[in-house]
Structures are given as C-alpha cells and as structure tokens.
Amino acid sequence: MSADIGLIGLAVMGENLVLNMESKGFTVAVYNRTTSVVEKFVAGRGKSKKIIGNKTVEELVSNLKKPRRVMIMVRAGDPVDKVIEQLIPCLEAGDIVIDGGNSNYLDSNRRSKALAQHNLLFIGTGVSGGEEGALTGPSIMPGGSYEAWLAVKDIFQTISAKVEDGSPCCDYVGEEGSGHFVKMVHNGIEYGDMQLISEAYFIMKTLLKMSNDEMGDVFEEWNKGDLDSYLIEITAQILRKKDEETGKHIVDVILDSAGQKGTGKWTVESGLNLGAPVTLIAEAVFARVLSSLKDDRVMSSKILTGPEIDTNINKQELLNDIKDAIYASKIISYAQGYILMQMAAKEYGWKLNFGGIALMWRGGCIIRSKFLGKIKEAYDKNPNLPNLLLDDFFREKITQAQTGWRRVAATALLNGVPIPAITSALCYYDGFRLDVLPANLIQAQRDFFGAHTYKRIDKDKKLDFHTNWTGRGGTTSSTSYNV
C-alpha cells in the first residue's frame, strides 16, 4: 500500500490533520522524530486506518506515490529547516514539500527559492482552526509553487472547512511565502478580536458588576446578530464553565497573564517594515506583554491611584454601546489587516485575491464569522478597494456605530478601565477620516533639530525645503528620505 501524502510531526495539529485526511479517503504515511510517538499513534487513534507508520524519513518517502507530497508539521524556525535538509536527498525533481506550521513568511520566501534549486516544489501553507479544525475541517491558506498547488489541491480542498454553499475554505493564495503571510495576518487579526472581546468583558465586569453567567448571556445574544463569530460563541461558553473541583467559574481562577507564540508580533513588525498602520493589532500584542508583568502590576496597584468608578451608569445603554464599539473596532482591525496584505503584495509582487482570502476565513479558522462574507462582497465588487472603510456597507456600519463607540471610549477612560484596542481603533478611524493631521508640526520639529527638510502645501510636492529656524543653522540640510 502506497500513501497519497506523507506527514512529519505528530503533535496536536499534525495528528488531527492525518485523521482528517484518512477519514476523507486518503492514505497517509506518518513520521515523527520520536518514533515511539508514531507507534503510539498507529496503535491508538490510527488503529485499523489507512495510516502507514514509519521509523525514518527515508522510509516515509519510499512509501509515497509520485510526485511525492510531504507535509511538515513541526515547530517554526530551525526545526523546519532541519526536516527539509533530511528530505532533500530522498526526493526527486517535481516532488513537493509542504510546510504547514506557523512559519515566518520570510523563511517561506527563502525556502521556496532554495528548494527550487533542487528542482523541488514548495508550498508554505497556513492552517487555522486549532485541534478541532484540523480534525473536522480547517481553513487552509497555501502559497508557493502553483504547479505544486495543483498537485495538492484535491487533498487540501477535500479536508478543509466548507461554507454554506459548499465552497472550500482553501484556495491558492499566491507566490512564495504569501500563504504564511496571509496566515500571519489572520493571527494578528485574531489577537485583535480576542483583545476587543476581553475589553468588552472587562467593562461589563468592572463598571456594570455583571456576573459571569450574565456576561455569558450577553455574548450568546450578540452571537445571534452582526457579531456572530467563533470567538464570541466560545466566550459565552467559557464564562459559564465551572471548575468541578472548586465549583468556581474557571475564568476566575485563570491567571491574568496572556501568552503568545509570535505571529501577532510578526504582524506588527511587518506593518512597521511595510509602512502599514496596524495599530489595533499592535495594541493587542502590547496588552499581552503588559498583562505578563503581573508582579509589577500587583505592586503598583498598592501605590498608583485611579478615578472613583461611576455607579450611576445605565446598564442597557452601555451594553448597546459596547456592542457597537466591538463591531466598529472589528471593522478597523480587518481594514488594517487588508492594507497590510495589499502593501505586502505590492512589495513582493504577489497576486493576492482579497475576496478569496475572506472566503478562506469564513469557516474552519479561529476568526471565522458572519462578518467575513461582507468583506468578500466588498472586494468582489471592487478588487482594487484601497481601504475597507471606503466600501458602502462598512462606511454605513461605522457611521451607525460611532456614537456608541465614542461613548464607550469616554466612559472607560473616565473610569480608569484600560481598553487599548477599542481606543486605538477609534483614533485610527479619526486619523484616516481627517484630511489634515498635526504631522506638519512634527516635520517642522524634525527640520528644526536635524535639518530633515519638509514639503510645502503651496509648492511642488517633489521639492524639499529647509528653514534656518534660529538664524544660526546655515542652509545645509540633511538628505530627505523615509524608511
């Protein structure tokens, strides 16, 4: 028996992807560096299934149909390179290497070029949906060799999640590392969504003194409307769940220190490198960093003071405003993520289908939501849409929500409740909608202390000007450039 595809790395995602593939009729060869993991899997969850266990990389390759398709599901970074080094001598021209982990897109760009020198095809593939998604149908974002995509398309689209009309949440993203870039942006937006929800929870808990069950009811109700999404749905479940041992709500005994694995940080770094203002995602990342300073926060809570909390807040009005604030901020988060993808496409020469990306995120992945269908419609209507905020649907939604959004920001800040994602989203919106910002003063300051020059509104924008602000600086100016 020969296998349709091989998979290396039997951790949570790898193991469940194998079971997903096998359940859809594919034979899968598996290998793990710790061979006892292979033996346990084949004798356990993989027993009596079309799964071939292997003790070496060479053995795995020998059990594959040609062209050989090998999917790597190991920790990002050096471990992926080590597996690829093992694979290269075993493979032949036209064979396909698939990296399905959370790799940095720059590594995928590099690996795509390096494997091409060996006449091997590469696909850097983002996979989202966690353990459940991997088993029952994830969102899959493959980028790299188009020829390789055609060879794996049947498997990937068969095992992926499907939307209402049966369309698979998987399609070719674009060249080189674009698949991993899109997955990175997905994760950055995920960071933003989670932070927005946590801020809504914190306002309800701190200002409205709501119980976990009451908050669970609110999130469940929100999930029936415009905010319908996986993260809102599971938040309602999380808030109601009790610890069998203590009887307490589990959320109340979890330490308020959030972890991260790096993809949110990569999104922010990419925004800085490409000149995309992903401010909401940046605040979500930094909020996790601040949360990790638990000991410092406990100490400062005994020293630093804030305002007295207003006890005369209208509960239902604030809940309605919070709902509007979350929805409006969510629009900003996606708008920023899409701008980042547009800038990356321009920088690297990728041909990205932005409507198709929204479709891939409609099901299976962590950020799946009703909302994404509207994004697909926006880019189907105008593939060159410069900013999601300029689409008629989202412009109207922001207009409807912004009064409540502003009230939430003001109420939280006046009462000392930190909501960095909601407020940064509002500041981005106001900055984007204004035709004049105070950057003229910044340019004047830069020219004053460093002779960095400036442009004038009444002169040709190609020309640079310098003022001798003190009368002592002379006429020499710095070379004008932007990073």
Side-chain angles (χ1 to χ4, degrees):
M1 178 172 62
S2 57
D4 299 296
I5 189 169
L7 189 140
I8 297 174
L10 292 174
V12 172
M13 290 294 286
E15 183 176 295
N16 283 286
L17 279 171
V18 169
L19 293 171
N20 185 348
M21 292 174 186
E22 195 278 339
S23 71
K24 301 299 191 300
F26 300 105
T27 300
V28 188
V30 298
Y31 168 75
N32 196 83
R33 185 178 62 175
T34 305
T35 54
S36 60
V37 172
V38 179
E39 294 167 0
K40 181 181 177 182
F41 176 59
V42 173
R45 295 181 77 193
K47 188 175 182 180
S48 302
K49 299 183 184 295
K50 299 185 294 298
I51 297 171
I52 305 170
N54 298 272
K55 295 182 178 179
T56 66
V57 168
E58 292 82 3
E59 183 184 4
L60 176 132
V61 170
S62 70
N63 278 316
L64 297 176
K65 297 174 183 175
K66 296 182 180 180
R68 302 174 182 90
R69 296 170 284 195
V70 184
M71 189 168 190
I72 303 169
M73 295 296 297
V74 302
R75 187 165 53 86
D78 191 53
V80 177
D81 287 321
K82 283 185 165 55
V83 172
I84 290 175
E85 287 171 11
Q86 288 181 280
L87 280 170
I88 286 173
C90 306
L91 299 175
E92 298 175 356
D95 287 344
I96 300 156
V97 176
I98 308 158
D99 176 12
N102 267 337
S103 288
N104 189 297
Y105 74 98
L106 295 173
D107 286 338
S108 295
N109 282 351
R110 170 177 57 81
R111 289 167 186 147
S112 181
K113 293 181 176 71
L115 284 165
Q117 294 179 354
H118 295 276
N119 295 314
L120 299 173
L121 307 179
F122 176 79
I123 303 183
T125 302
V127 181
S128 178
E131 179 179 1
E132 180 186 355
L135 181 63
T136 61
S139 170
I140 306 177
M141 297 155 257
S145 162
Y146 188 74
E147 182 183 350
W149 157 244
L150 295 177
V152 301
K153 179 179 179 180
D154 180 48
I155 296 177
F156 279 5
Q157 291 194 334
T158 299
I159 69 168
S160 72
K162 309 295 186 297
V163 292
E164 293 83 356
D165 65 0
S167 299
C169 296
C170 171
D171 204 351
Y172 180 68
V173 172
E175 301 82 357
E176 294 185 331
S178 60
H180 275 135
F181 189 91
V182 168
K183 175 57 164 53
M184 177 197 74
V185 174
H186 163 284
N187 284 24
I189 292 171
E190 178 186 308
Y191 273 59
D193 278 1
M194 294 169 74
Q195 179 64 27
L196 291 170
I197 292 169
S198 77
E199 291 175 12
Y201 154 78
F202 204 44
I203 296 170
M204 292 182 210
K205 180 179 179 179
T206 306
L207 298 186
L208 299 178
K209 309 298 182 185
M210 294 173 66
S211 69
N212 290 327
D213 289 327
E214 283 182 297
M215 289 187 281
D217 291 343
V218 170
F219 281 105
E220 183 178 14
E221 186 62 31
W222 285 357
N223 198 50
K224 297 174 183 176
D226 286 342
L227 287 175
D228 173 12
S229 70
Y230 174 72
L231 285 170
I232 293 286
E233 176 188 341
I234 68 169
T235 299
Q237 296 175 31
I238 288 167
L239 287 167
R240 292 189 179 118
K241 186 72 173 177
K242 290 187 176 180
D243 181 12
E244 294 180 2
E245 182 180 340
T246 65
K248 296 179 179 179
H249 285 89
I250 292 178
V251 72
D252 290 336
V253 298
I254 295 175
L255 182 68
D256 58 318
S257 177
Q260 54 184 315
K261 290 190 173 180
T263 47
K265 182 182 76 171
W266 293 347
T267 308
V268 177
E269 289 174 345
S270 297
L272 290 170
N273 291 334
L274 294 168
V278 288
T279 54
L280 190 154
I281 297 169
E283 289 293 353
V285 172
F286 284 122
R288 294 195 189 192
V289 175
L290 182 59
S291 79
S292 71
L293 304 177
K294 177 66 175 179
D295 293 341
D296 292 342
R297 290 189 291 110
V298 170
M299 176 185 66
S300 68
S301 70
K302 298 177 175 63
I303 302 169
L304 304 177
T305 61
E308 291 291 326
I309 294 203
D310 184 356
T311 56
N312 295 312
I313 296 173
N314 184 296
K315 179 179 178 180
Q316 193 54 55
E317 284 182 4
L318 183 56
L319 285 174
N320 291 338
D321 288 348
I322 295 170
K323 181 181 177 182
D324 285 343
I326 296 302
Y327 192 78
S329 299
K330 191 179 175 79
I331 292 173
I332 299 297
S333 182
Y334 282 79
Q336 292 181 356
Y338 267 80
I339 288 171
L340 180 57
M341 289 191 288
Q342 289 169 358
M343 290 186 171
K346 183 177 180 180
E347 175 73 16
Y348 299 110
W350 298 336
K351 300 178 184 66
L352 302 184
N353 179 348
F354 297 112
I357 290 168
L359 177 63
M360 280 186 269
W361 292 347
R362 279 286 307 282
C365 68
I366 303 302
I367 65 171
R368 61 184 183 265
S369 68
K370 175 181 179 181
F371 184 94
L372 284 156
K374 295 299 182 182
I375 295 179
K376 184 177 188 304
E377 289 176 16
Y379 282 100
D380 284 350
K381 186 167 58 178
N382 181 5
N384 298 313
L385 184 67
N387 190 306
L388 205 56
L389 296 176
L390 301 178
D391 174 73
D392 290 342
F393 174 84
F394 290 107
R395 180 173 51 80
E396 183 178 333
K397 285 292 185 181
I398 285 272
T399 300
Q400 293 171 354
Q402 69 170 294
T403 300
W405 189 14
R406 295 181 190 282
R407 280 198 296 254
V408 165
T411 299
L413 295 179
L414 286 170
N415 285 277
V417 179
I419 51 168
I422 291 173
T423 50
S424 71
L426 182 54
C427 287
Y428 172 87
Y429 174 73
D430 283 336
F432 186 70
R433 72 177 180 81
L434 293 175
D435 64 339
V436 176
L437 291 173
N440 54 325
L441 180 57
I442 294 172
Q443 281 302 101
Q445 292 169 334
R446 294 179 73 236
D447 191 55
F448 187 108
F449 65 69
H452 292 298
T453 75
Y454 54 85
K455 297 184 185 300
R456 296 176 61 110
I457 60 175
D458 56 354
K459 303 287 185 180
D460 188 334
K461 301 300 188 295
K462 295 178 182 178
L463 299 177
D464 296 307
F465 296 88
H466 167 60
T467 292
N468 182 356
W469 296 91
T470 63
R472 301 185 301 271
T475 58
T476 303
S477 62
S478 173
T479 302
S480 180
Y481 67 92
N482 287 308
V483 295

